[in-house]
Every structure is written in C-alpha cells, then in structure tokens.
C-alpha cells in the first residue's frame, strides 16, 4: 500500500548494497553518492531502451542508503518492524562479508520507490 502502482505490477529492483558501493561509502560517501547517481542513469537507459523492461511500473530498493535515494527523488517508506530487523541483520552481515567495518549512518533499512515516468524524467 502507498506505492504508485497496483499490487503485482512489474518493478525494477535496485541492489544498492554491492561490494563496490559499500566499499566506496566506507572510504568516501561523496564518491559512493556519485557512483550511485551514475548507476541510476544506467538503470534509466535500460528502462527506456530495452523492450524487456517496457512493462516496468517503477523502481524500488530496500536499503540503508535511503537518504541519498531520497535526494535523487525517491519516496521513502518505513518497513514493518520485523522485516526491518531482518533486513538490518542481513545488511550488517553483508558489510562484514564485504570487509567494511565502518557502520552506516542509517541504522534502519527503508523502502525507496519511484514511479517509472518520474524516474525516467529525472534520471533518463
């Protein structure tokens, strides 16, 4: 509920917690922000140009990096408490696997989303 498309609609999911972005964020949040911005342009190009993504209604991410995504025009919603704790545990585990001990500035993951038309207008 509260998203800009009907239940069951096709969406593109951003995987913001890659080893590259997590490592960049540990060294330089500005470099990570710039890399994320470039990636959003790449996603927009795929949504715009690839016929396989023609029916995608929007873009979503469950992430600790919801602040930068909000600055990029995403709407941000809290997750249900149990789901937030589960994702938080998973993200802490990923950070250890990626070898970064620097804690994130956002302790609670959130759902970031944007409708397709708004995403393409802003990033594509």
């Amino acid at each position: 509920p509260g998203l800009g498309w009907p239940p069951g609609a096709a969406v593109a999911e951003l995987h913001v917690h890659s080893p590259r972005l997590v490592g960049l964020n540990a060294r330089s949040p500005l470099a990570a922000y710039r890399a994320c911005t470039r990636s959003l342009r790449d996603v927009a190009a795929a949504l715009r140009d690839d016929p396989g993504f023609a029916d995608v209604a929007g873009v979503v991410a469950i992430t600790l990096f919801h602040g930068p995504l909000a600055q990029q025009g995403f709407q941000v919603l809290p997750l249900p408490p149990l789901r937030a704790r589960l994702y938080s545990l998973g993200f802490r585990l990923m950070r250890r696997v990626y070898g970064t001990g620097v804690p994130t500035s956002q302790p609670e993951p959130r759902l970031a989303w944007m409708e397709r038309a708004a995403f393409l207008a802003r990033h594509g």
Side-chain angles (χ1 to χ4, degrees):
L3 300 181
W5 49 80
V11 296
E13 182 179 357
L14 296 175
H15 291 269
V16 183
H17 293 272
S18 69
R20 178 174 171 255
L21 282 178
V22 170
L24 276 173
N25 192 57
R27 289 189 303 276
S28 169
L30 181 59
Y33 181 79
R34 288 177 178 157
C36 186
T37 300
R38 285 189 304 273
S39 295
L40 294 176
R41 287 193 300 264
D42 293 341
V43 171
L47 287 178
R48 184 186 62 241
D49 301 335
D50 188 331
F53 295 115
D55 64 340
V56 168
V59 179
V60 299
I62 296 177
T63 179
L64 294 170
F65 300 125
H66 48 80
L69 289 180
Q71 292 173 346
Q72 292 294 325
F74 282 78
Q75 301 294 315
V76 177
L77 295 173
L79 294 170
L82 182 59
R83 186 166 292 167
R85 282 193 298 271
L86 180 64
Y87 275 106
S88 184
L89 176 64
F91 290 144
R92 281 196 308 271
L93 178 63
M94 287 170 60
R95 293 176 72 75
R96 288 193 188 254
V97 168
Y98 296 160
T100 189
V102 177
T104 180
S105 61
Q106 298 293 330
E108 185 176 301
R110 295 185 183 233
L111 172 69
W113 68 275
M114 188 183 300
E115 291 181 11
R116 176 193 184 97
F119 186 83
L120 289 174
R122 179 147 185 161
H123 302 287

